[in-house]
Amino acid sequence: SAACSENDLIIEPGACVSGNTAPGCAEISDGVMNLDLDMDLSPGVDYNAVQTAAFAKLNALGLRDAATADYVMFLFPPGISPWIAYAYINGWSSFYSDTWGGSVSAHMHEVGHNFGLAHSGELGEEYGDQSSYMGYSYSSIGSPAMCYHGGQHRSLGWYSTHTTEIAASDFVSGQNELVDLFAFTDVQALSAGDPVIIKLDVASPRGYALYLQYNKAEAHNSGVVESANLVTVVQDALNTPAYQQSWKVASLGEGDDYNDNLRVKVCSLDVVGSVDVVRLSISLDYIGDPCFTSPLSPPSPPSLPSPPLSPPPSPPSPLPPPPSPPPPLSLSKPRMSAGSTAFAWQFLAKVTDGKSKTFGKSKKQTSPWFSAKVTTENQQPIGYVTVTPDTKNKPSKAKRYLKDFEIWVGKKAGQKAVKCGGPFAWSKI
């Protein structure tokens, strides 16, 4: 739980705090105690009666308060509970039948109910999503090592500084955005703002949002049963936290896409240093391959004046010299809220000095991202050209001849950018 939550949730054995004189304190050892009930516990006994007796005994021992434990797990003797386990939504108690008390997946499932999580299904099966602990549980002790899906992580408030929200209302027809998504298992190696969860508000009246999470099978997610090393797409509550059945609707590998008002396509999966980076395309109705941006042709040189048809009496005037290269373009002050102003100035200087064809290098995908809004010679807009370091830690290979473009800067991929320069007559990157 600590690893899955980025240490937001730490489960440890309960114990009486110093000075607690409750009679049951002496019976707790490493968070475990035997609860002796004065009743028949043979198979077939009404489990509700056993539950009621257990609550009463716990209260009598003075152990049902925050000074002892936030959550209590009860283990039934065999043959009493009609289920392998159950719990109370947003409550403090969960119950397990016999050996299911040793199942880590059963624990994470039932305590998930205590946290307010509902089941996660797939293809109409209420428990069918096996990429989350809120799907099926497994009888093995200590495994499988996995976590919850992106919607549930967000509902719990985990990865709050690594969640990006994108709404269909932000798009116009034909617009396409390229966004990077990182593995939540790599979060300790990321900078704040690098998204491991993307929430897509696909527009009302659907009553749900789509949550994207790259389900990398490593470390505390190494035993994930389903959708390993794929981008999971889950329908969950539009506004979280909320107790609502969720449904996994897609598991996307490189080249796969899913369309629910917003179209999501996995363009690439690369390893940069020690972290995985998934490049996603998000659009409303982009036609063609949204992951491909065709190179632009360089602008034609200016036409030179034609010599006169009839020579004048005096010798013809020499042709004017070719036009001088444009001077460095004046830079408007980058309008940044915080964090990236100096970097934006460096970028604009590189773009406008007429010399540099590449920009910078980066050891990590943590630099601000930049996009140029371009209009080609035939006045057909092509959307956005994104300039980022390549995946092999070399200078960017993005080389474009641009005309009438503006420079926009954002602190990370997927974040709304702000204009910091342009429009410029021409330049090259």
Side-chain angles (χ1 to χ4, degrees), residues 149 151 154 166-168 198-212 233-240 242 244-250 258-262:
H149 63 55
R154 183 180 184 278
I166 299 175
I198 297 177
K199 175 190 175 183
L200 298 180
D201 183 352
V202 291
S204 58
R206 285 170 171 77
Y208 60 80
L210 296 180
Y211 295 87
L212 312 182
V233 183
V234 176
Q235 290 179 359
D236 205 347
L238 180 61
N239 298 306
T240 57
Q244 179 173 318
Q245 168 79 34
S246 61
W247 299 97
K248 187 176 69 176
V249 293
Y258 179 78
N259 195 344
D260 184 357
N261 196 34
L262 279 174

Side-chain angles (χ1 to χ4, degrees), residues 169-192:
S169 58
D170 294 335
F171 287 78
V172 297
S173 179
Q175 179 184 350
N176 175 58
E177 286 193 14
L178 297 179
V179 181
D180 288 338
L181 176 65
F182 299 84
F184 71 93
T185 51
D186 290 333
V187 70
Q188 296 297 331
L190 303 179
S191 297

Side-chain angles (χ1 to χ4, degrees), residues 186-396:
D186 290 333
V187 70
Q188 296 297 331
L190 303 179
S191 297
D194 291 337
V196 301
I197 300 170
I198 297 177
K199 175 190 175 183
L200 298 180
D201 183 352
V202 291
S204 58
R206 285 170 171 77
Y208 60 80
L210 296 180
Y211 295 87
L212 312 182
Q213 177 175 277
Y214 177 49
N215 205 30
K216 186 176 180 182
E218 67 169 4
H220 45 281
N221 199 49
S222 60
V224 63
V225 178
E226 189 176 68
S227 304
N229 302 313
L230 298 174
V231 175
T232 56
V233 183
V234 176
Q235 290 179 359
D236 205 347
L238 180 61
N239 298 306
T240 57
Y243 188 78
Q244 179 173 318
Q245 168 79 34
S246 61
W247 299 97
K248 187 176 69 176
V249 293
S251 300
L252 306 178
E254 189 167 347
D256 295 335
D257 64 9
Y258 179 78
N259 195 344
D260 184 357
N261 196 34
L262 279 174
R263 178 187 178 190
V264 180
K265 181 170 183 178
V266 178
C267 296
S268 62
L269 171 58
D270 298 300
V271 179
V272 181
S274 61
V275 301
D276 288 12
V277 184
V278 180
R279 173 59 60 89
L280 301 173
S281 160
I282 300 175
S283 61
L284 279 175
D285 53 2
Y286 195 86
I287 299 174
D289 184 357
C291 300
F292 175 75
T293 303
S294 58
L296 302 175
S297 301
S300 302
S303 300
L304 299 177
S306 302
L309 297 177
S310 301
S314 56
S317 300
L319 295 175
S324 301
L329 300 171
S330 61
L331 309 180
S332 60
K333 184 177 180 181
R335 296 192 293 274
M336 295 297 298
S337 58
S340 303
T341 303
F343 200 69
W345 272 106
Q346 295 173 20
F347 175 77
L348 290 176
K350 286 282 188 180
V351 168
T352 58
D353 66 6
K355 298 177 183 178
S356 176
K357 292 186 178 181
T358 63
F359 176 67
K361 62 173 65 178
S362 175
K363 294 183 179 180
K364 293 174 66 177
Q365 293 285 87
T366 56
S367 297
W369 64 277
F370 303 88
S371 62
K373 185 178 181 181
V374 182
T375 303
T376 59
E377 288 183 323
N378 61 4
Q379 299 301 305
Q380 295 298 313
I382 67 168
Y384 295 87
V385 174
T386 301
V387 180
T388 58
D390 67 14
T391 61
K392 294 185 179 179
N393 207 22
K394 297 179 180 178
S396 170

